[in-house]
Amino acid sequence: MDVHIIPGVKARDVAEAHQKDVALQNEFSCKCMTYWVDEKKENVFCLIEAPEKHVVEEMHRQAHGLIPHKIIEVSSVLVESFLGRTEDPENAQITNDGLKVFHEPSLRFLLVTKIDDRCLLKHKLGPEKVNELLSKHDHIIRENLAAYSGREAAYHANNFVASFASATKAVACAISIQKDMVGSDMCDLGFSIAINAGEPVSESDKLFGDTIRLAKRMCTLTKENQIAIASNVRELVSHDYFKNNPQSILNLSPVDETLLDSLFNTLEEHYSDPDLNVTDYCQKMAMSQSQLYRKTMSLFDLSPNELLREFRLERALERMKKQRCNISEITFDSGFTSPSYFTKCFKKKFGLLPMNYVDLSH
């Protein structure tokens, strides 16, 4: 899938360019499957079956000269899940000169849910109880997605990513899910939910990668029974939703979202460095210690030092989940300097020793 940013773009212009691509597709061993165009946002996303990225660029160059700003590899199954089609829409208008013209934006509203690690849950609650709760959890989410026209786009370890064409339906669905979760034992799962909006291709090399990443990060901010909603979603939804559910909605400002990404991006890049401390973190964030402290406390209710330690522990948990490793290796790869201190922190946060977790997960 590629993205073109074209000032003043019109649906008919895109239809003509697509027709020129189709005329040359066989010469380049390609298949120009379909596209999405948003005249207001002045962007176009093309879906093409092709052997290599550079082949797509050359085909576009020879067909009409509009070179993509970015190209990523995608799965047609995922495209169908997120965007609802991999071919031209059936109701596309056919002009008098036989040109198929349609205007369909690719902006999607992604609802992301998260629960605690399954191995930790089974250790805490017992396998039978966890399986019962997870079954109920999945049923609640899928029932609500069906009721509000949401598409289940991704599912991994009982964490959902769902796609909506409507901001209002995405928010209404999230509120309904949260209400169905309340009053049951679902709170034992550590359930959280967030909604963000975005385009299929941006900075990430994954489909809707940036949108999903921010939504997952937003999940870390929610308290019990809260829904985190990004600013680009809030502005498209009636204020009545937020007036009627003031306690259950966590509204983020654009400044909050930028800061959240910056905080996590810095941690992602440097957490494994054992020499990274709060002073270094402040320097990399271009903030004073008092500024950074106020920001992390307001967002996470954690000091910068606590946030760094929590992040390292989460990365250690992910690593142990993927492969069996010795504790010393995990300790130093996660930025801790002492296996005994790492073990102490791990036990305090997750309720069991690191090696016990490794045994459970493998």
Side-chain angles (χ1 to χ4, degrees):
M1 179 171 280
D2 66 30
V3 56
H4 302 261
I5 310 300
I6 309 173
V9 68
K10 299 299 179 185
R12 182 180 175 86
D13 298 334
V14 179
E16 290 174 347
H18 180 68
Q19 190 177 64
K20 292 176 181 178
D21 282 328
V22 171
L24 289 181
Q25 63 183 4
N26 291 338
E27 293 182 28
F28 292 89
S29 300
C30 293
K31 180 182 179 183
C32 301
M33 300 170 70
T34 190
Y35 60 87
W36 290 259
V37 56
D38 189 330
E39 294 180 347
K40 185 176 180 181
K41 292 180 176 292
E42 302 182 321
N43 61 36
V44 181
F45 296 85
C46 304
L47 183 64
I48 302 170
E49 191 176 293
E52 299 287 347
K53 293 181 182 179
H54 70 86
V55 176
V56 174
E57 291 182 345
E58 187 58 30
M59 180 182 67
H60 281 330
R61 182 179 288 109
Q62 292 193 27
H64 43 67
L66 297 172
I67 308 304
H69 288 75
K70 186 180 178 69
I71 304 173
I72 65 170
E73 295 182 13
V74 297
S75 155
S76 58
V77 174
L78 275 181
V79 172
E80 174 75 31
S81 298
F82 278 103
L83 292 165
R85 62 180 178 85
T86 55
E87 298 177 345
D88 292 344
E90 295 181 0
N91 60 350
Q93 173 191 352
I94 306 296
T95 63
N96 293 333
D97 54 356
L99 192 65
K100 186 186 292 185
V101 179
F102 54 92
H103 178 283
E104 184 181 318
S106 61
L107 180 71
R108 291 296 183 270
F109 303 89
L110 302 189
L111 182 154
V112 174
T113 71
K114 184 179 178 296
I115 60 170
D116 290 341
D117 178 83
R118 292 180 65 161
C119 287
L120 293 175
L121 288 172
K122 288 181 178 180
H123 171 75
K124 177 183 174 182
L125 304 173
E128 186 175 332
K129 179 65 173 178
V130 170
N131 289 337
E132 176 189 337
L133 290 177
L134 291 179
S135 177
K136 186 176 181 180
H137 163 276
D138 291 1
H139 176 74
I140 287 173
I141 293 176
R142 289 189 168 120
E143 187 174 55
N144 278 286
L145 290 182
Y148 291 94
S149 304
R151 303 181 64 88
E152 184 179 328
Y155 174 82
H156 176 68
N158 295 90
N159 296 313
F160 285 81
V161 177
S163 175
F164 294 79
S166 160
T168 298
K169 287 189 176 181
V171 172
C173 182
I175 292 172
S176 181
I177 288 172
Q178 196 65 277
K179 285 180 178 178
D180 287 346
M181 294 288 182
V182 174
S184 64
D185 296 330
M186 293 293 111
C187 58
D188 291 333
L189 295 178
F191 178 77
S192 57
I193 188 168
I195 306 173
N196 189 22
E199 304 285 1
V201 183
S202 47
E203 294 298 320
S204 172
D205 287 331
K206 295 183 178 180
L207 192 71
F208 288 100
D210 297 285
T211 308
I212 296 170
R213 182 182 63 187
L214 179 57
K216 287 181 176 179
R217 290 172 174 179
M218 288 162 56
C219 282
T220 66
L221 305 180
T222 60
K223 296 179 173 60
E224 187 175 337
N225 302 328
Q226 270 192 328
I227 303 163
I229 298 182
S231 57
N232 58 3
V233 178
R234 177 183 171 84
E235 65 186 17
L236 296 173
V237 179
S238 167
H239 293 304
D240 291 341
Y241 278 99
F242 309 109
K243 290 179 181 177
N244 297 334
N245 303 275
Q247 303 302 318
S248 62
I249 303 293
L250 173 63
N251 291 302
L252 296 183
S253 70
V255 173
D256 290 335
E257 293 159 10
T258 300
L259 176 61
L260 182 63
D261 261 341
S262 184
L263 286 166
F264 273 109
N265 289 342
T266 302
L267 289 173
E268 288 281 7
E269 188 174 353
H270 301 287
Y271 79 92
S272 60
D273 179 2
D275 295 326
L276 178 70
N277 55 35
V278 173
T279 301
D280 298 326
Y281 195 11
C282 291
Q283 290 177 346
K284 295 181 189 303
M285 289 293 298
M287 290 182 178
S288 68
Q289 290 201 25
S290 59
Q291 284 178 316
L292 185 61
Y293 180 85
R294 286 197 300 271
K295 295 296 186 182
T296 61
M297 288 298 295
S298 66
L299 284 174
F300 305 97
D301 201 24
L302 295 171
S303 70
N305 196 50
E306 290 169 334
L307 179 61
L308 174 58
R309 184 174 63 245
E310 294 281 300
F311 190 88
R312 283 171 165 163
L313 287 169
E314 291 290 347
R315 289 298 172 269
L317 190 76
E318 289 179 11
R319 176 88 184 274
M320 286 187 282
K321 192 186 308 183
K322 292 177 181 176
Q323 62 185 101
R324 180 179 286 274
C325 304
N326 65 59
I327 300 307
S328 292
E329 184 181 357
I330 288 291
T331 295
F332 300 118
D333 285 350
S334 303
F336 290 90
T337 56
S338 161
S340 60
Y341 179 64
F342 166 69
T343 299
K344 177 183 176 181
C345 293
F346 191 95
K347 177 72 161 57
K348 183 178 180 180
K349 179 173 176 60
F350 299 119
L352 75 171
L353 295 172
M355 278 311 302
N356 293 145
Y357 179 82
V358 171
D359 292 338
L360 281 173
S361 58
H362 295 278

